[in-house]
Amino acid sequence: PSGVLSSVACVTDLTCISIIADLFLKNEIQVRSVTQATDVSTPEGQLQTNILMLFSRYDNDVRRQKVMSGMREKLLQGFFVFNPPVGYSVCSNRGVPIQNDKAPFIGKAFEMKLLGYTHDVILEYLVAKGIKIGIKRLTDIFKNPFYCGFISSRLLNGEVAKGKHDPLISVEVFEKVNNAQIKYNKSVFQGKEADPFPLKGSIICNKCKGRWTAYHVKRKKIDYYKCNTIGCKCNRGARQLHREFVELLKDFKIPDVLEGAL
């Protein structure tokens, strides 16, 4: 099967190359090789050009694979092969970023997060210190284990490597920050009661394909979900439906690659 897939991939690449070459010819653009003499005006010359392009693609793919393998090996050794995050700069010792003048303010941001300050307040503090970032960038900073001395990357396939750089915060602070309740911009979740009908509008009726709404029976003190279509009498108790939904979620698992990026 692997050989068949490889052949299909090659044919697909060759077909795409042929289409592009034909498009060039229709616009009086000729693709020529500087090292091989080919006449693209003939079928034989076009075939030779396509083959040369395909081998060039193969050579690029091999080089890319070698580069990616080398980068992964460097990451596992603790070297950082990308642009360092906010608070760090590239130094002469290649692959080991050093803290810059923004580092103390990023460290202070972690402390503020730990104390329960909202993202809005933290962003105002950082902007006042000359660090202009958005709320998504700030969230990424709080989730980046680089600041506590570790390296996480998609190249590591879910693994985390111990970095050679100096950490900005302790592992304990990083863990506490990421276990703390998140406060988002203009949204306050603390002190707010949980939604008794989290599935409202997300359930589709099996009979009429309409979306379900929800209601509360005060006399029985029971919550229900029901179909919103007039005449359709489908309904279920909220407590039982929530249990079934939780059981359904147990069949799903986040891939290791995505877990490493969270």
Side-chain angles (χ1 to χ4, degrees), residues 233-249:
K233 299 181 179 180
C234 293
N235 68 340
R236 294 287 300 278
R239 183 177 299 178
Q240 178 62 27
L241 197 57
H242 290 166
R243 288 200 203 99
E244 294 177 2
F245 185 71
V246 171
E247 290 299 321
L248 179 64
L249 291 179

mmCIF file of all heavy atoms in Angstrom, residues 233-249:
data_model
loop_
_atom_site.group_PDB
_atom_site.id
_atom_site.type_symbol
_atom_site.label_atom_id
_atom_site.label_comp_id
_atom_site.label_asym_id
_atom_site.label_seq_id
_atom_site.Cartn_x
_atom_site.Cartn_y
_atom_site.Cartn_z
ATOM 1 N N LYS A 233 -43.667 16.818 20.513
ATOM 2 C CA LYS A 233 -43.726 16.703 21.973
ATOM 3 C C LYS A 233 -42.501 16.003 22.568
ATOM 4 O O LYS A 233 -42.580 15.440 23.655
ATOM 5 C CB LYS A 233 -44.993 15.954 22.376
ATOM 6 C CG LYS A 233 -46.274 16.656 21.951
ATOM 7 C CD LYS A 233 -47.501 15.881 22.392
ATOM 8 C CE LYS A 233 -48.784 16.602 21.976
ATOM 9 N NZ LYS A 233 -49.988 15.870 22.392
ATOM 10 N N CYS A 234 -41.393 16.022 21.861
ATOM 11 C CA CYS A 234 -40.177 15.381 22.380
ATOM 12 C C CYS A 234 -39.592 16.212 23.520
ATOM 13 O O CYS A 234 -39.413 17.428 23.392
ATOM 14 C CB CYS A 234 -39.143 15.237 21.272
ATOM 15 S SG CYS A 234 -39.625 14.088 19.976
ATOM 16 N N ASN A 235 -39.305 15.587 24.633
ATOM 17 C CA ASN A 235 -38.643 16.273 25.748
ATOM 18 C C ASN A 235 -37.902 15.254 26.599
ATOM 19 O O ASN A 235 -38.204 14.067 26.584
ATOM 20 C CB ASN A 235 -39.646 17.088 26.571
ATOM 21 C CG ASN A 235 -40.616 16.188 27.322
ATOM 22 O OD1 ASN A 235 -40.797 15.027 26.973
ATOM 23 N ND2 ASN A 235 -41.225 16.736 28.350
ATOM 24 N N ARG A 236 -36.898 15.758 27.343
ATOM 25 C CA ARG A 236 -36.089 14.902 28.221
ATOM 26 C C ARG A 236 -35.732 15.679 29.466
ATOM 27 O O ARG A 236 -35.566 16.909 29.436
ATOM 28 C CB ARG A 236 -34.789 14.460 27.521
ATOM 29 C CG ARG A 236 -34.994 13.547 26.337
ATOM 30 C CD ARG A 236 -35.396 12.138 26.787
ATOM 31 N NE ARG A 236 -34.375 11.545 27.624
ATOM 32 C CZ ARG A 236 -33.286 10.943 27.143
ATOM 33 N NH1 ARG A 236 -33.073 10.889 25.841
ATOM 34 N NH2 ARG A 236 -32.420 10.386 27.957
ATOM 35 N N GLY A 237 -35.553 14.958 30.568
ATOM 36 C CA GLY A 237 -35.074 15.583 31.788
ATOM 37 C C GLY A 237 -33.641 16.061 31.625
ATOM 38 O O GLY A 237 -32.800 15.357 31.064
ATOM 39 N N ALA A 238 -33.354 17.281 32.108
ATOM 40 C CA ALA A 238 -32.022 17.868 31.918
ATOM 41 C C ALA A 238 -30.939 17.061 32.630
ATOM 42 O O ALA A 238 -29.851 16.856 32.094
ATOM 43 C CB ALA A 238 -32.019 19.313 32.404
ATOM 44 N N ARG A 239 -31.238 16.574 33.824
ATOM 45 C CA ARG A 239 -30.228 15.851 34.588
ATOM 46 C C ARG A 239 -29.786 14.583 33.853
ATOM 47 O O ARG A 239 -28.593 14.312 33.721
ATOM 48 C CB ARG A 239 -30.781 15.497 35.973
ATOM 49 C CG ARG A 239 -29.778 14.798 36.873
ATOM 50 C CD ARG A 239 -30.354 14.535 38.251
ATOM 51 N NE ARG A 239 -30.723 15.792 38.906
ATOM 52 C CZ ARG A 239 -31.279 15.843 40.112
ATOM 53 N NH1 ARG A 239 -31.558 14.716 40.769
ATOM 54 N NH2 ARG A 239 -31.579 17.010 40.660
ATOM 55 N N GLN A 240 -30.745 13.820 33.341
ATOM 56 C CA GLN A 240 -30.414 12.599 32.635
ATOM 57 C C GLN A 240 -29.686 12.888 31.331
ATOM 58 O O GLN A 240 -28.721 12.205 30.972
ATOM 59 C CB GLN A 240 -31.691 11.791 32.336
ATOM 60 C CG GLN A 240 -31.465 10.499 31.554
ATOM 61 C CD GLN A 240 -30.582 9.513 32.294
ATOM 62 O OE1 GLN A 240 -30.529 9.516 33.523
ATOM 63 N NE2 GLN A 240 -29.862 8.682 31.551
ATOM 64 N N LEU A 241 -30.122 13.928 30.632
ATOM 65 C CA LEU A 241 -29.486 14.277 29.360
ATOM 66 C C LEU A 241 -28.055 14.743 29.576
ATOM 67 O O LEU A 241 -27.158 14.444 28.769
ATOM 68 C CB LEU A 241 -30.298 15.374 28.659
ATOM 69 C CG LEU A 241 -30.014 15.572 27.169
ATOM 70 C CD1 LEU A 241 -30.223 14.286 26.397
ATOM 71 C CD2 LEU A 241 -30.888 16.675 26.604
ATOM 72 N N HIS A 242 -27.808 15.449 30.672
ATOM 73 C CA HIS A 242 -26.448 15.890 30.976
ATOM 74 C C HIS A 242 -25.551 14.690 31.267
ATOM 75 O O HIS A 242 -24.385 14.656 30.846
ATOM 76 C CB HIS A 242 -26.453 16.843 32.177
ATOM 77 C CG HIS A 242 -27.078 18.165 31.876
ATOM 78 N ND1 HIS A 242 -27.450 19.053 32.859
ATOM 79 C CD2 HIS A 242 -27.405 18.752 30.703
ATOM 80 C CE1 HIS A 242 -27.959 20.139 32.310
ATOM 81 N NE2 HIS A 242 -27.957 19.971 30.999
ATOM 82 N N ARG A 243 -26.081 13.683 31.971
ATOM 83 C CA ARG A 243 -25.291 12.474 32.243
ATOM 84 C C ARG A 243 -24.921 11.769 30.938
ATOM 85 O O ARG A 243 -23.782 11.326 30.757
ATOM 86 C CB ARG A 243 -26.090 11.516 33.138
ATOM 87 C CG ARG A 243 -26.252 11.960 34.581
ATOM 88 C CD ARG A 243 -26.597 10.775 35.459
ATOM 89 N NE ARG A 243 -27.279 11.194 36.672
ATOM 90 C CZ ARG A 243 -28.585 11.150 36.855
ATOM 91 N NH1 ARG A 243 -29.366 10.678 35.900
ATOM 92 N NH2 ARG A 243 -29.127 11.554 37.997
ATOM 93 N N GLU A 244 -25.888 11.648 30.045
ATOM 94 C CA GLU A 244 -25.633 10.979 28.770
ATOM 95 C C GLU A 244 -24.609 11.744 27.940
ATOM 96 O O GLU A 244 -23.773 11.144 27.253
ATOM 97 C CB GLU A 244 -26.941 10.841 27.988
ATOM 98 C CG GLU A 244 -27.952 9.911 28.646
ATOM 99 C CD GLU A 244 -29.257 9.858 27.888
ATOM 100 O OE1 GLU A 244 -29.350 10.527 26.826
ATOM 101 O OE2 GLU A 244 -30.186 9.159 28.341
ATOM 102 N N PHE A 245 -24.656 13.075 28.028
ATOM 103 C CA PHE A 245 -23.696 13.890 27.277
ATOM 104 C C PHE A 245 -22.283 13.706 27.816
ATOM 105 O O PHE A 245 -21.312 13.603 27.061
ATOM 106 C CB PHE A 245 -24.102 15.357 27.340
ATOM 107 C CG PHE A 245 -23.244 16.272 26.512
ATOM 108 C CD1 PHE A 245 -23.313 16.255 25.135
ATOM 109 C CD2 PHE A 245 -22.339 17.136 27.118
ATOM 110 C CE1 PHE A 245 -22.520 17.084 24.370
ATOM 111 C CE2 PHE A 245 -21.542 17.970 26.366
ATOM 112 C CZ PHE A 245 -21.628 17.948 24.984
ATOM 113 N N VAL A 246 -22.153 13.645 29.146
ATOM 114 C CA VAL A 246 -20.844 13.421 29.771
ATOM 115 C C VAL A 246 -20.291 12.053 29.362
ATOM 116 O O VAL A 246 -19.099 11.909 29.063
ATOM 117 C CB VAL A 246 -20.948 13.531 31.303
ATOM 118 C CG1 VAL A 246 -19.644 13.081 31.965
ATOM 119 C CG2 VAL A 246 -21.268 14.958 31.720
ATOM 120 N N GLU A 247 -21.145 11.034 29.337
ATOM 121 C CA GLU A 247 -20.715 9.704 28.918
ATOM 122 C C GLU A 247 -20.268 9.720 27.456
ATOM 123 O O GLU A 247 -19.313 9.043 27.085
ATOM 124 C CB GLU A 247 -21.850 8.700 29.113
ATOM 125 C CG GLU A 247 -22.168 8.393 30.563
ATOM 126 C CD GLU A 247 -20.989 7.774 31.297
ATOM 127 O OE1 GLU A 247 -20.283 6.946 30.680
ATOM 128 O OE2 GLU A 247 -20.769 8.118 32.469
ATOM 129 N N LEU A 248 -20.958 10.500 26.625
ATOM 130 C CA LEU A 248 -20.584 10.607 25.220
ATOM 131 C C LEU A 248 -19.214 11.239 25.056
ATOM 132 O O LEU A 248 -18.408 10.818 24.218
ATOM 133 C CB LEU A 248 -21.635 11.432 24.473
ATOM 134 C CG LEU A 248 -21.387 11.680 22.974
ATOM 135 C CD1 LEU A 248 -21.423 10.366 22.210
ATOM 136 C CD2 LEU A 248 -22.418 12.655 22.416
ATOM 137 N N LEU A 249 -18.915 12.242 25.878
ATOM 138 C CA LEU A 249 -17.616 12.928 25.779
ATOM 139 C C LEU A 249 -16.456 12.013 26.150
ATOM 140 O O LEU A 249 -15.326 12.238 25.713
ATOM 141 C CB LEU A 249 -17.615 14.163 26.688
ATOM 142 C CG LEU A 249 -18.530 15.321 26.274
ATOM 143 C CD1 LEU A 249 -18.423 16.452 27.282
ATOM 144 C CD2 LEU A 249 -18.179 15.826 24.891
#
